[in-house]
Amino acid sequence: FLPMSKMIHNGYLKNKKTQVIGLTGGQGSGKSTISNILKIILKESFSLKTVIFSIDDFYKTLKQRENMSKNISPLFMTRGVPGTHDTKMLLNTIKALKKTRFKKILIPKFNKGFDDRTSKNKWLRVNKKPNIVIFEGWCVGAEPQKKNDLLAPVNALEKHEDKKKIWRNKVNNELKKDYKKVFKLLDKIIFLRVPSFKHVFKWRLLQEKKLRITSKGKKTMSDNQIKNFIMFYERLTKHMLKKLVYKADLVIKIDTKHRLKSIKFN
C-alpha cells in the first residue's frame, strides 16, 4: 500500500492539481477495501484529502434501463456492462472535481438491493476540493475490442440471448465513444489482476453471501443467478486481463487465496 500511496502522492506533487486515480479489477477483487485503506494512508501519511466513488453509483436508473431493454436488447436490463452507466453525469462529475475553481457537488449513490438510484438526500456531498479522487469499478479503463473479436460468443448467454450480436456490439461502441471520454480524464490506472475469470465467480459468490446477511430482506441473488449474472461480465473481464497488464500504470497481482501477491510499475 505504501508504494501505491507514494505514486499517488508524487503525481499530486507534480502540479498540485486534483489527481483522478482509476482503480480497476474483476468483481470481488477487493477494490472497495483497497480504496478505503489508500484513503487512510493518504490522509495520515501525506495529509491528502481523498474522495472515493464507484462507477456502480452511476448506473442508469431502472426506468432508463427498462427503455434500453425494450429498444436495443433485453440484456441491458441487467446492470454492469458499458451502456448501463450514465456517462454524461459521470463525465461532468469528474470534470467538476478537477476544476480549479471548485464548487460543492453531489455524487450519486446506487442501491443494488432496490436496483435503482437512491434519493438525492443520500448522495455523497463534496464540499471541499479533494486532492485525490479514487474512481473504482470493474470496467474502469477498459478498451474496446476489435470487430473480429466480437464474432464468436464467449459463453451460453451470448450464444443463446445475443445471437445477432446486438448487445455486445452496443457495449463495444459505448467503450469506443462515451467511456473513452471519461477514462481520458484519469491521471493513473491501478489494475488489480485476478488469477482468472473462474476466481471472479468464486469471489462474487462470497460478496453475495455477505450481502444476504446485511440486506434485511432486500433483493439478493441465488448461486445460480450469480452464475448467469457473471456471464454478462465475462467477455470484458477476459479482455482486460490481456490488455490492462500493459496499459495500467500499476499492476497488482492477486493470488488464488485473495492476497496481494506482487506489485509492478509500468
Side-chain angles (χ1 to χ4, degrees):
F1 291 102
L2 282 170
M4 250 193 281
S5 305
K6 277 178 186 167
M7 178 190 81
I8 294 167
H9 177 241
N10 291 342
Y12 175 72
L13 283 182
K14 272 181 188 171
N15 54 19
K16 295 282 172 78
K17 286 180 179 174
T18 300
Q19 296 286 295
V20 181
I21 311 298
L23 182 68
T24 187
Q27 287 190 318
S29 56
K31 295 181 292 294
S32 304
T33 308
I34 288 170
S35 298
N36 287 307
I37 294 170
L38 284 174
K39 184 178 181 175
I40 295 164
I41 297 171
L42 291 167
K43 185 188 176 210
E44 299 299 329
S45 300
F46 302 103
S47 305
L48 293 174
K49 181 180 162 44
T50 305
V51 165
I52 303 167
F53 64 88
S54 171
I55 198 167
D56 293 5
D57 287 315
F58 286 83
Y59 280 131
K60 286 177 177 169
T61 62
L62 189 59
K63 187 101 184 74
Q64 286 171 317
R65 282 178 288 121
E66 276 169 356
N67 287 337
M68 277 188 91
S69 74
K70 282 173 196 161
N71 300 325
I72 305 165
S73 162
L75 294 178
F76 280 110
M77 197 58 230
T78 300
R79 56 182 159 77
V81 296
T84 61
H85 304 96
D86 189 332
T87 42
K88 194 179 176 185
M89 193 186 207
L90 182 52
L91 189 73
N92 290 337
T93 301
I94 296 176
K95 279 181 177 174
L97 286 163
K98 289 189 105 164
K99 264 187 185 166
T100 312
R101 298 182 73 177
F102 185 77
K103 287 177 186 170
K104 291 179 187 180
I105 65 161
L106 281 173
I107 296 175
K109 284 276 173 201
F110 193 89
N111 187 318
K112 288 177 181 178
F114 295 114
D115 198 18
D116 213 344
R117 206 174 282 163
T118 65
S119 52
K120 274 194 175 178
N121 61 352
K122 288 186 179 143
W123 289 18
L124 174 68
R125 286 182 176 276
V126 184
N127 296 323
K128 285 184 180 174
K129 184 170 172 63
N131 307 118
I132 308 298
V133 173
I134 297 176
F135 168 41
E136 59 103 338
W138 80 277
C139 65
V140 170
E143 292 182 336
Q145 287 185 281
K146 289 177 184 151
K147 242 183 156 132
N148 281 350
D149 294 335
L150 299 171
L151 300 175
V154 295
N155 54 33
L157 176 95
E158 290 190 359
K159 191 178 179 181
H160 303 299
E161 295 179 52
D162 189 37
K163 285 176 185 171
K164 291 181 179 175
K165 308 174 199 61
I166 292 166
W167 175 73
R168 63 192 106 140
N169 271 303
K170 171 71 175 162
V171 169
N172 209 47
N173 285 334
E174 288 278 336
L175 279 176
K176 274 181 194 170
K177 293 173 188 169
D178 295 344
Y179 285 76
K180 192 179 179 180
K181 288 177 198 166
V182 172
F183 301 153
K184 258 188 173 171
L185 296 176
L186 302 176
D187 294 287
K188 290 272 189 286
I189 293 178
I190 297 171
F191 180 45
L192 306 177
R193 188 185 164 207
V194 296
S196 69
F197 186 73
K198 190 175 71 186
H199 287 86
V200 173
F201 172 56
K202 203 174 160 183
W203 297 340
R204 187 58 185 82
L205 279 178
L206 197 67
Q207 270 186 338
E208 200 67 22
K209 276 173 189 163
K210 288 177 190 172
L211 202 62
R212 282 173 205 153
I213 297 162
T214 58
S215 67
K216 297 182 182 117
K218 286 174 205 156
K219 200 164 72 177
T220 56
M221 289 188 267
S222 67
D223 288 7
N224 212 30
Q225 282 173 314
I226 294 277
K227 200 175 182 178
N228 291 332
F229 181 60
I230 281 294
M231 285 188 202
F232 284 81
Y233 295 79
E234 187 170 350
R235 168 178 291 282
L236 206 46
T237 302
K238 286 178 172 175
H239 177 59
M240 288 173 78
L241 280 169
K242 276 185 205 162
K243 298 283 176 187
L244 268 180
V245 177
Y246 306 104
K247 189 196 165 198
D249 299 279
L250 184 58
V251 179
I252 294 162
K253 205 172 174 182
I254 298 169
D255 71 10
T256 52
K257 290 181 179 168
H258 219 167
R259 296 170 304 194
L260 307 186
K261 196 77 181 161
S262 67
I263 185 165
K264 181 177 162 254
F265 290 89
N266 283 336

Short mmCIF file of all heavy atoms in Angstrom, two decimals, residues 52-82:
data_model
loop_
_atom_site.label_atom_id
_atom_site.label_comp_id
_atom_site.label_asym_id
_atom_site.label_seq_id
_atom_site.Cartn_x
_atom_site.Cartn_y
_atom_site.Cartn_z
N ILE A 52 -13.72 9.02 -2.59
CA ILE A 52 -13.86 7.72 -3.29
C ILE A 52 -15.28 7.60 -3.83
O ILE A 52 -16.24 7.91 -3.13
CB ILE A 52 -13.63 6.53 -2.33
CG1 ILE A 52 -12.25 6.61 -1.65
CG2 ILE A 52 -13.79 5.19 -3.05
CD1 ILE A 52 -12.10 5.64 -0.47
N PHE A 53 -15.39 7.16 -5.07
CA PHE A 53 -16.71 6.76 -5.56
C PHE A 53 -16.54 5.65 -6.59
O PHE A 53 -15.45 5.42 -7.11
CB PHE A 53 -17.52 7.94 -6.12
CG PHE A 53 -16.93 8.60 -7.33
CD1 PHE A 53 -17.22 8.13 -8.61
CD2 PHE A 53 -16.10 9.70 -7.20
CE1 PHE A 53 -16.69 8.75 -9.72
CE2 PHE A 53 -15.57 10.33 -8.31
CZ PHE A 53 -15.86 9.85 -9.58
N SER A 54 -17.64 4.96 -6.84
CA SER A 54 -17.61 3.81 -7.74
C SER A 54 -18.39 4.09 -9.02
O SER A 54 -19.37 4.85 -9.01
CB SER A 54 -18.25 2.60 -7.02
OG SER A 54 -18.41 1.53 -7.92
N ILE A 55 -17.97 3.45 -10.09
CA ILE A 55 -18.71 3.55 -11.36
C ILE A 55 -20.13 2.99 -11.17
O ILE A 55 -21.08 3.41 -11.83
CB ILE A 55 -17.96 2.83 -12.52
CG1 ILE A 55 -18.49 3.32 -13.88
CG2 ILE A 55 -18.02 1.30 -12.40
CD1 ILE A 55 -17.64 2.93 -15.08
N ASP A 56 -20.27 2.07 -10.20
CA ASP A 56 -21.58 1.47 -9.90
C ASP A 56 -22.61 2.52 -9.46
O ASP A 56 -23.80 2.33 -9.66
CB ASP A 56 -21.47 0.43 -8.77
CG ASP A 56 -20.66 -0.80 -9.18
OD1 ASP A 56 -20.11 -0.80 -10.30
OD2 ASP A 56 -20.56 -1.75 -8.38
N ASP A 57 -22.13 3.59 -8.84
CA ASP A 57 -23.06 4.64 -8.39
C ASP A 57 -23.62 5.45 -9.54
O ASP A 57 -24.56 6.23 -9.36
CB ASP A 57 -22.37 5.56 -7.37
CG ASP A 57 -22.19 4.85 -6.04
OD1 ASP A 57 -23.15 4.20 -5.58
OD2 ASP A 57 -21.10 4.92 -5.46
N PHE A 58 -23.06 5.26 -10.72
CA PHE A 58 -23.52 6.00 -11.90
C PHE A 58 -24.36 5.14 -12.84
O PHE A 58 -24.52 5.47 -14.01
CB PHE A 58 -22.33 6.62 -12.64
CG PHE A 58 -21.77 7.80 -11.91
CD1 PHE A 58 -20.86 7.64 -10.87
CD2 PHE A 58 -22.16 9.09 -12.24
CE1 PHE A 58 -20.34 8.72 -10.18
CE2 PHE A 58 -21.66 10.19 -11.56
CZ PHE A 58 -20.74 10.01 -10.52
N TYR A 59 -24.90 4.03 -12.31
CA TYR A 59 -25.79 3.23 -13.15
C TYR A 59 -26.98 4.08 -13.57
O TYR A 59 -27.45 4.94 -12.81
CB TYR A 59 -26.32 2.02 -12.37
CG TYR A 59 -25.35 0.87 -12.30
CD1 TYR A 59 -25.06 0.25 -11.08
CD2 TYR A 59 -24.72 0.40 -13.45
CE1 TYR A 59 -24.17 -0.81 -11.01
CE2 TYR A 59 -23.83 -0.65 -13.38
CZ TYR A 59 -23.56 -1.26 -12.17
OH TYR A 59 -22.67 -2.29 -12.10
N LYS A 60 -27.46 3.81 -14.76
CA LYS A 60 -28.70 4.45 -15.21
C LYS A 60 -29.82 3.99 -14.29
O LYS A 60 -29.74 2.91 -13.70
CB LYS A 60 -28.99 4.06 -16.66
CG LYS A 60 -28.06 4.76 -17.65
CD LYS A 60 -28.30 4.31 -19.08
CE LYS A 60 -27.40 5.11 -20.03
NZ LYS A 60 -27.40 4.55 -21.38
N THR A 61 -30.88 4.76 -14.23
CA THR A 61 -32.00 4.39 -13.37
C THR A 61 -32.70 3.15 -13.93
O THR A 61 -32.51 2.79 -15.11
CB THR A 61 -33.03 5.54 -13.29
OG1 THR A 61 -33.54 5.77 -14.62
CG2 THR A 61 -32.41 6.82 -12.75
N LEU A 62 -33.50 2.54 -13.11
CA LEU A 62 -34.25 1.34 -13.51
C LEU A 62 -35.10 1.64 -14.74
O LEU A 62 -35.16 0.86 -15.68
CB LEU A 62 -35.11 0.87 -12.33
CG LEU A 62 -35.82 -0.48 -12.44
CD1 LEU A 62 -34.83 -1.61 -12.66
CD2 LEU A 62 -36.64 -0.76 -11.20
N LYS A 63 -35.73 2.80 -14.74
CA LYS A 63 -36.59 3.22 -15.87
C LYS A 63 -35.76 3.34 -17.16
O LYS A 63 -36.19 2.86 -18.22
CB LYS A 63 -37.22 4.57 -15.51
CG LYS A 63 -38.26 5.08 -16.48
CD LYS A 63 -39.68 4.82 -15.95
CE LYS A 63 -40.76 5.22 -16.93
NZ LYS A 63 -40.92 4.33 -18.05
N GLN A 64 -34.60 3.95 -17.08
CA GLN A 64 -33.75 4.12 -18.26
C GLN A 64 -33.30 2.77 -18.82
O GLN A 64 -33.26 2.56 -20.03
CB GLN A 64 -32.52 4.96 -17.90
CG GLN A 64 -32.81 6.44 -17.72
CD GLN A 64 -31.61 7.19 -17.15
OE1 GLN A 64 -30.93 6.74 -16.24
NE2 GLN A 64 -31.35 8.37 -17.70
N ARG A 65 -32.97 1.84 -17.91
CA ARG A 65 -32.53 0.52 -18.37
C ARG A 65 -33.69 -0.30 -18.93
O ARG A 65 -33.52 -1.10 -19.84
CB ARG A 65 -31.81 -0.22 -17.23
CG ARG A 65 -30.38 0.29 -17.05
CD ARG A 65 -29.63 -0.38 -15.92
NE ARG A 65 -30.14 0.05 -14.64
CZ ARG A 65 -30.66 -0.75 -13.72
NH1 ARG A 65 -30.73 -2.04 -13.94
NH2 ARG A 65 -31.09 -0.28 -12.57
N GLU A 66 -34.88 -0.06 -18.41
CA GLU A 66 -36.08 -0.72 -18.96
C GLU A 66 -36.28 -0.27 -20.41
O GLU A 66 -36.58 -1.09 -21.28
CB GLU A 66 -37.32 -0.38 -18.12
CG GLU A 66 -37.46 -1.27 -16.90
CD GLU A 66 -38.53 -0.79 -15.91
OE1 GLU A 66 -39.11 0.31 -16.14
OE2 GLU A 66 -38.74 -1.48 -14.91
N ASN A 67 -36.08 1.01 -20.65
CA ASN A 67 -36.20 1.54 -22.02
C ASN A 67 -35.15 0.94 -22.95
O ASN A 67 -35.44 0.59 -24.09
CB ASN A 67 -36.08 3.07 -22.02
CG ASN A 67 -37.31 3.74 -21.44
OD1 ASN A 67 -38.39 3.16 -21.42
ND2 ASN A 67 -37.15 4.96 -20.94
N MET A 68 -33.91 0.83 -22.45
CA MET A 68 -32.83 0.22 -23.25
C MET A 68 -33.15 -1.23 -23.59
O MET A 68 -32.89 -1.69 -24.69
CB MET A 68 -31.52 0.26 -22.47
CG MET A 68 -30.78 1.56 -22.56
SD MET A 68 -29.14 1.42 -21.81
CE MET A 68 -28.15 0.93 -23.21
N SER A 69 -33.72 -1.93 -22.61
CA SER A 69 -34.02 -3.36 -22.82
C SER A 69 -35.13 -3.54 -23.86
O SER A 69 -35.15 -4.52 -24.60
CB SER A 69 -34.39 -4.04 -21.51
OG SER A 69 -35.68 -3.68 -21.10
N LYS A 70 -36.04 -2.57 -23.94
CA LYS A 70 -37.12 -2.64 -24.93
C LYS A 70 -36.63 -2.22 -26.31
O LYS A 70 -36.98 -2.81 -27.32
CB LYS A 70 -38.28 -1.71 -24.52
CG LYS A 70 -39.16 -2.29 -23.43
CD LYS A 70 -40.17 -1.25 -22.97
CE LYS A 70 -40.79 -1.66 -21.63
NZ LYS A 70 -41.40 -0.50 -20.94
N ASN A 71 -35.81 -1.17 -26.35
CA ASN A 71 -35.41 -0.58 -27.63
C ASN A 71 -34.14 -1.15 -28.27
O ASN A 71 -33.96 -1.06 -29.47
CB ASN A 71 -35.24 0.94 -27.48
CG ASN A 71 -36.54 1.61 -27.03
OD1 ASN A 71 -37.61 1.18 -27.43
ND2 ASN A 71 -36.43 2.63 -26.20
N ILE A 72 -33.25 -1.71 -27.44
CA ILE A 72 -31.98 -2.22 -28.00
C ILE A 72 -31.85 -3.73 -27.83
O ILE A 72 -31.83 -4.48 -28.80
CB ILE A 72 -30.75 -1.48 -27.40
CG1 ILE A 72 -30.89 0.04 -27.59
CG2 ILE A 72 -29.45 -1.96 -28.06
CD1 ILE A 72 -29.95 0.87 -26.74
N SER A 73 -31.75 -4.17 -26.57
CA SER A 73 -31.63 -5.61 -26.28
C SER A 73 -32.11 -5.86 -24.86
O SER A 73 -31.78 -5.08 -23.95
CB SER A 73 -30.17 -6.06 -26.42
OG SER A 73 -29.98 -7.30 -25.75
N PRO A 74 -32.87 -6.95 -24.65
CA PRO A 74 -33.34 -7.28 -23.29
C PRO A 74 -32.18 -7.44 -22.29
O PRO A 74 -32.37 -7.29 -21.08
CB PRO A 74 -34.08 -8.61 -23.48
CG PRO A 74 -34.42 -8.67 -24.92
CD PRO A 74 -33.33 -7.93 -25.64
N LEU A 75 -30.98 -7.71 -22.80
CA LEU A 75 -29.82 -7.93 -21.92
C LEU A 75 -29.42 -6.65 -21.17
O LEU A 75 -28.74 -6.72 -20.16
CB LEU A 75 -28.62 -8.48 -22.71
CG LEU A 75 -28.80 -9.88 -23.31
CD1 LEU A 75 -27.57 -10.28 -24.11
CD2 LEU A 75 -29.06 -10.93 -22.23
N PHE A 76 -29.85 -5.49 -21.65
CA PHE A 76 -29.50 -4.24 -20.98
C PHE A 76 -30.32 -4.00 -19.71
O PHE A 76 -30.09 -3.03 -19.00
CB PHE A 76 -29.61 -3.04 -21.93
CG PHE A 76 -28.41 -2.93 -22.83
CD1 PHE A 76 -28.52 -3.18 -24.19
CD2 PHE A 76 -27.17 -2.60 -22.30
CE1 PHE A 76 -27.41 -3.09 -25.02
CE2 PHE A 76 -26.05 -2.52 -23.12
CZ PHE A 76 -26.17 -2.77 -24.48
N MET A 77 -31.24 -4.90 -19.44
CA MET A 77 -31.99 -4.81 -18.17
C MET A 77 -31.05 -5.11 -17.01
O MET A 77 -31.24 -4.64 -15.89
CB MET A 77 -33.15 -5.82 -18.21
CG MET A 77 -34.23 -5.58 -17.19
SD MET A 77 -34.98 -3.94 -17.35
CE MET A 77 -34.87 -3.40 -15.65
N THR A 78 -30.01 -5.92 -17.28
CA THR A 78 -29.03 -6.25 -16.25
C THR A 78 -27.94 -5.21 -16.22
O THR A 78 -27.25 -4.97 -17.20
CB THR A 78 -28.44 -7.66 -16.52
OG1 THR A 78 -29.51 -8.60 -16.51
CG2 THR A 78 -27.42 -8.05 -15.46
N ARG A 79 -27.78 -4.56 -15.06
CA ARG A 79 -26.76 -3.51 -14.93
C ARG A 79 -25.36 -4.11 -14.89
O ARG A 79 -25.19 -5.26 -14.51
CB ARG A 79 -27.01 -2.68 -13.66
CG ARG A 79 -27.07 -3.51 -12.42
CD ARG A 79 -27.37 -2.71 -11.18
NE ARG A 79 -27.89 -3.56 -10.13
CZ ARG A 79 -27.16 -4.35 -9.38
NH1 ARG A 79 -25.86 -4.41 -9.56
NH2 ARG A 79 -27.71 -5.10 -8.44
N GLY A 80 -24.37 -3.30 -15.27
CA GLY A 80 -22.99 -3.76 -15.16
C GLY A 80 -22.12 -3.38 -16.33
O GLY A 80 -21.09 -2.75 -16.17
N VAL A 81 -22.54 -3.74 -17.53
CA VAL A 81 -21.67 -3.54 -18.70
C VAL A 81 -21.73 -2.09 -19.19
O VAL A 81 -22.68 -1.36 -18.90
CB VAL A 81 -22.06 -4.48 -19.87
CG1 VAL A 81 -21.85 -5.93 -19.51
CG2 VAL A 81 -23.49 -4.22 -20.32
N PRO A 82 -20.71 -1.65 -19.93
CA PRO A 82 -20.77 -0.33 -20.56
C PRO A 82 -22.07 -0.16 -21.35
O PRO A 82 -22.49 -1.06 -22.08
CB PRO A 82 -19.55 -0.33 -21.48
CG PRO A 82 -18.57 -1.21 -20.77
CD PRO A 82 -19.40 -2.31 -20.18
#
